[in-house]
Amino acid sequence: MTKTALVVGASGIVGSATATLLVDHGWRVHGLARRPTRQDGVLPVVADLQDAAATQAALADLSPDAVFITTWLRQDSEAENIRVNAAMVRHLLDALRGATGPRHVALVTGLKHYLGPFEAYGKGALPQTPFREEQGRLDVDNFYYAQEDEVFAAAARDGFTWSVHRPHTVIGKAVGNAMNMGTTLAVYATLCRELGRPFRFPGSATQWNSLTDMTDARQLARQLLWAAETPAAANQDFNIVNGDVFRWSWMWARIAEWFGLEPAPFDGTVLPLEQQMADDAAVWRSIAERDGLAEPDLARLASPWHSDADLGRPIEVVTDMSKSRRMGFLVYQPTDDAFFDLFRELRAERLIP
């Protein structure tokens, strides 16, 4: 029988990649979003998870075998992040209760599980790298923990299995996404080429020199599907990265070469993208109009604040993947290829010239 999936946040970077993979594997896929985007093979479900009654109504006729939660809403404080995002997960799982409720629920969080929330990002007592799942939670409020607790409580109540997936910075395509380093760097490179600006690494010397890793959205989607179909992965948390490590001093030159740029020398000074791109909205709109691009609104493509948070960290961030590898998840994705695949897709869809 055909398996049915509900992808929550289907219009985002992770959700769209997950929905595509599930369709390719023969699943019947429903994609939930406040404003669904058209995606081949995905049946749109319109719902705002902040509204419990509306969520209940939107999901009344659905009985998915698996649910993939790939969405969150950024708020002005961590207390509000906890209140809003925990409620969204609770409203979703309450709406799916019943004899035909899901058999598996997967929740996507991230490495802020180990690094702390944005208010305390990379500060205080942190676990040693590489980050490993057994290192557990920090003694700090974190909306990821609140989301997990909602899943755990609903699983105990309703009898489904769960998995939690913790990517590092995700590379993938989506418009209007709050955390989108790949597209942000593509837009930044385009602006540097257009204006003759130096293509300068915006972050810290630690990130420039230290080893790090990233997560292709397609790699994350593969692990989500693997966990949903692998009995040994039930009720487990997993880190998920591409499987390689690199230094930004190397990757920056690779990205520059793809865009036909020379990387500017890096002297260790932090010069955030949010500062560099603060006045670029009109320039981008002009480029979009001249070259017939699909999105003239710079704010819907680039998320400088998020890229600055990752590239400006004063600590090394490397992730251990041994747990899922021991269970049989052996997929590998070179990170430079992940960037280049994204850039080609952005160009093909007229999002960059």
Side-chain angles (χ1 to χ4, degrees):
M1 295 177 63
T2 300
K3 294 179 180 179
T4 301
L6 175 64
V7 178
V8 182
S11 61
I13 292 175
V14 176
S16 60
T18 302
T20 295
L21 182 67
L22 291 166
V23 169
D24 289 346
H25 279 74
W27 287 57
R28 180 177 174 85
V29 179
H30 299 269
L32 185 150
R34 286 176 297 166
R35 293 179 293 275
T37 55
R38 186 181 179 281
Q39 192 170 355
D40 289 345
V42 179
L43 304 169
V45 178
V46 180
D48 182 349
L49 296 182
Q50 296 180 89
D51 186 329
T55 301
Q56 184 82 42
L59 299 178
D61 297 326
L62 290 186
S63 299
D65 296 292
V67 178
F68 302 89
I69 305 173
T70 71
T71 190
W72 70 289
L73 284 178
R74 187 186 183 204
Q75 306 298 311
D76 291 335
S77 69
E78 194 59 19
E80 278 299 288
N81 276 332
I82 290 169
R83 184 186 68 80
V84 170
N85 289 285
M88 289 167 58
V89 174
R90 185 167 61 254
H91 295 161
L92 169 72
L93 297 178
D94 284 350
L96 293 170
R97 288 191 71 179
T100 57
R103 293 198 292 266
H104 183 79
V105 173
L107 172 68
V108 176
T109 60
L111 292 196
K112 285 188 290 299
H113 181 94
Y114 309 106
L115 288 162
F118 286 119
E119 291 180 359
Y121 195 50
K123 300 175 183 176
L126 299 175
Q128 289 186 330
T129 58
F131 293 139
R132 294 181 170 89
E133 293 90 346
E134 63 265 25
Q135 290 168 325
R137 295 180 175 184
L138 302 176
D139 186 19
V140 62
D141 290 337
N142 190 324
F143 83 87
Y144 284 168
Y145 306 160
Q147 288 182 306
E148 288 181 345
D149 287 343
E150 293 292 343
V151 172
F152 300 158
R157 178 191 70 197
D158 298 333
F160 57 76
T161 62
W162 55 265
S163 58
V164 174
H165 304 261
R166 298 178 187 136
H168 197 170
T169 305
V170 177
I171 301 169
K173 184 185 76 67
V175 176
N177 193 273
M179 300 192 296
N180 195 342
M181 183 189 287
T183 303
T184 299
L185 294 182
V187 168
Y188 174 62
T190 301
L191 287 164
C192 288
R193 188 176 59 198
E194 176 77 14
L195 299 172
R197 286 182 190 165
F199 184 64
R200 185 190 185 284
F201 182 71
S204 68
T206 300
Q207 289 303 302
W208 181 254
N209 293 311
S210 297
L211 291 173
T212 192
D213 47 33
M214 294 184 73
T215 307
D216 189 315
R218 300 168 299 182
Q219 175 83 339
L220 173 50
R222 295 177 194 118
Q223 193 192 60
L224 287 165
L225 176 58
W226 166 82
E229 296 185 330
T230 303
N235 305 330
Q236 298 289 331
D237 52 357
F238 297 107
N239 294 332
I240 173 62
V241 288
N242 288 335
D244 62 350
V245 294
F246 63 91
R247 290 183 173 86
W248 276 106
S249 56
W250 174 81
M251 185 66 76
W252 200 252
R254 295 282 286 154
I255 293 173
E257 181 182 12
W258 198 92
F259 284 96
L261 297 167
E262 287 291 328
F266 179 65
D267 63 5
T269 304
V270 176
L271 187 60
L273 290 175
E274 197 163 26
Q275 176 183 332
Q276 293 191 56
M277 300 172 70
D279 300 320
D280 286 342
V283 177
W284 184 260
R285 186 170 294 277
S286 176
I287 294 171
E289 291 174 355
R290 182 194 69 202
D291 294 340
L293 301 185
E295 181 52 71
D297 186 351
L298 180 63
R300 284 182 50 76
L301 290 176
S303 51
W305 70 272
H306 171 256
S307 298
D308 288 337
D310 278 5
L311 298 176
R313 286 181 299 218
I315 58 172
E316 175 187 81
V317 179
V318 183
T319 314
D320 184 80
M321 280 276 289
S322 298
K323 185 176 182 179
S324 60
R325 283 173 173 161
R326 287 190 178 104
M327 292 183 180
F329 181 77
L330 304 177
V331 184
Y332 169 78
Q333 169 64 60
T335 299
D336 51 345
D337 287 349
F339 273 119
F340 302 156
D341 288 349
L342 171 64
F343 299 157
R344 281 189 286 267
E345 187 176 7
L346 294 174
R347 184 165 284 172
E349 298 196 11
R350 305 302 303 159
L351 289 167
I352 62 171

